[in-house]
Each structure stands twice: as structure tokens, then as C-alpha cells.
Amino acid sequence: GAGVSQSPSNKVTEKGKDVELRCDPISGHTALYWYRQSLGQGLEFLIYFQGNSAPDKSGLPSDRFSAERTGGSVSTLTIQRTQQEDSAVYLCASSLSRQAYEQYFGPGTRLTVT
Amino acid sequence: AQSVTQLDSQVPVFEEAPVELRCNYSSSVSVYLFWYVQYPNQGLQLLLKYLSGSTLVKGINGFEAEFNKSQTSFHLRKPSVHISDTAEYFCAVSRIIQGAQKLVFGQGTRLTINP
């Protein structure tokens, strides 16, 4: 079956612009996670959604970052007023439930801020 | 707080040689441990996991890992590597916090297989 998909695969933007990154989880997976993978920082948890519950935003690095999940499925991560330090690969993962141990990762979106 | 340390950032080995990728974790409570692999330009794929039970865990592609509670380690091993094993490997520790699984990753180990 289809795995987690993310779009775009690559995004180059100018400093100060806003960007939106999209994640389509596996059908039926209620839990959705966003991570950031950058040089020197490794993989960092950003935000977590479970169904229609309020998200866990504890990993978001600043208030320029926000995310939403519509209808308990597709999620969009928005970065406002991008900075060069936002350059990274943004990974999305989903799991069957909030207590499921296996997370399935998408291929990621490589964001470059010039 | 939990943390994960992968002791080697890069490991070069020859094809068909054995390999061990080291991982140590710190946690004051029971943990669940994972190894993920990331092939070039791809997302992460679960290799194996330790939740409970036997300390020797077997995963996909011939990899295995041993959970050692006294040494707080979860090293990944393969007796004979192949060129296709070239990838980055991440060790992760998980806890259930407020009903949700949270993964904390190590910095990764880049495994390079030379012919």
C-alpha cells in the first residue's frame, strides 16, 4: 500500500518568505509526527498530532513554526519569515495509534533558505 | 531526560566484513529502543526494535542488536555486510509521554561499505 508522502521534495526559498510543507500519512494512521533533520542537530521532534486532539507543539523551535492537520489526515507545516537556520530536511511520520511503536517515515522535504 | 549517544559518526568497512554500530542511552526508567536506517535521499525505515523479552533482537536485512541494561547499550551488528548496506543508521529511545510515543534520536552513524 501507499506509504507516507511529502511534498514538495525540495524547496528553495528566500530568507523572509513563508513556506508550506505537506504530509500525507498512511491511510488509517491516527498519529502524525513532524521531525527536522539538520547538520549538527540530528533529528529533532517538532510536533505531534493524534486524531482530532490538540497537537503537542513542545518541539517547535519558535513561534514562526506552526502546523495543522485537517480532517485527521493531511498535515501542513508552515514556517513564516524563514531564516537560513531553518534549512534542513523536514520529515513526517505516521503511526497506527499514539501508542504504536513503529513510526513510518516519509521521504522528507529538503528546505534551503538562501 | 533521555539521551542517545552514537559513539561513531562514520564507520567504513569492507564488503563481507562484520560491523558493529554502537549506541548508548541514558534513562532512569524503562525504555524502548529502536534502530532506523536511512538510505540516500529516503526517509527512515525501521530496522529493529526492543520492547521487552529477549535481549537479542533480530531485524531486517540480517541485522541484530543486543540490549544490555547494565551497560545501557543497544549496539547494532551484522556478521557480513553488503554494498547495499551503505546508509546512515540512527539509534532511538522512546517513552510514552502523556499517552504518546516520543522518539529521541542519536546523531547517526554513516556506514560506508568498500568493495
Side-chain angles (χ1 to χ4, degrees):
Chain A
V4 177
S5 61
Q6 293 186 246
S7 61
S9 55
N10 280 283
K11 176 73 176 179
V12 180
T13 190
E14 292 180 353
K15 178 181 171 182
K17 301 277 190 184
D18 298 351
V19 295
E20 285 189 352
L21 312 179
R22 177 188 168 103
C23 171
D24 263 294
I26 293 172
S27 177
H29 280 196
T30 61
L32 186 148
Y33 303 79
W34 282 97
Y35 295 88
R36 179 169 70 175
Q37 185 176 23
S38 53
L39 287 174
Q41 297 294 324
L43 273 154
E44 306 169 88
F45 164 78
L46 295 177
I47 188 169
Y48 156 77
F49 294 89
Q50 170 58 42
N52 295 318
S53 302
D56 174 355
K57 305 178 184 179
S58 59
L60 293 179
S62 79
D63 59 8
R64 296 186 295 105
F65 287 72
S66 63
E68 63 177 20
R69 189 178 184 191
T70 53
S73 180
V74 171
S75 176
T76 303
L77 177 69
T78 301
I79 308 173
Q80 295 178 310
R81 306 181 301 282
T82 52
Q83 303 295 311
Q84 288 187 329
E85 61 263 29
D86 299 334
S87 295
V89 176
Y90 290 82
L91 291 166
C92 175
S94 69
S95 64
L96 197 55
S97 71
R98 64 180 182 174
Q99 292 176 332
Y101 294 107
E102 182 161 0
Q103 294 184 18
Y104 296 81
F105 283 79
T109 293
R110 182 175 297 277
L111 175 66
T112 303
V113 181
T114 61
Chain B
Q2 294 170 283
S3 69
V4 179
T5 302
Q6 291 183 243
L7 297 160
D8 305 295
S9 59
Q10 296 188 63
V11 173
V13 296
F14 288 106
E15 193 173 15
E16 297 184 5
V19 69
E20 178 180 83
L21 306 184
R22 297 179 292 169
C23 172
N24 285 89
Y25 67 92
S26 67
S27 175
S28 58
V29 298
S30 298
V31 296
Y32 307 112
L33 294 157
F34 305 80
W35 275 99
Y36 281 84
V37 60
Q38 186 177 33
Y39 298 105
N41 300 314
Q42 294 187 27
L44 276 69
Q45 179 182 2
L46 182 66
L47 266 181
L48 48 78
K49 59 182 181 281
Y50 172 79
L51 305 180
S52 65
S54 173
T55 57
L56 183 63
V57 180
K58 293 189 183 297
I60 62 172
N61 302 340
F63 284 92
E64 63 181 33
E66 186 157 18
F67 170 61
N68 188 319
K69 187 175 181 179
S70 62
Q71 297 186 5
T72 60
S73 68
F74 191 55
H75 300 334
L76 181 70
R77 301 186 183 100
K78 185 169 182 177
S80 175
V81 295
H82 190 266
I83 291 283
S84 59
D85 293 322
T86 295
E88 188 141 20
Y89 293 78
F90 293 92
C91 181
V93 62
S94 164
R95 281 186 64 196
I96 299 292
I97 300 174
Q98 296 180 336
Q101 183 202 157
K102 297 287 180 70
L103 285 174
V104 175
F105 288 90
Q107 292 292 317
T109 298
R110 185 169 299 277
L111 177 62
T112 305
I113 311 300
N114 299 306

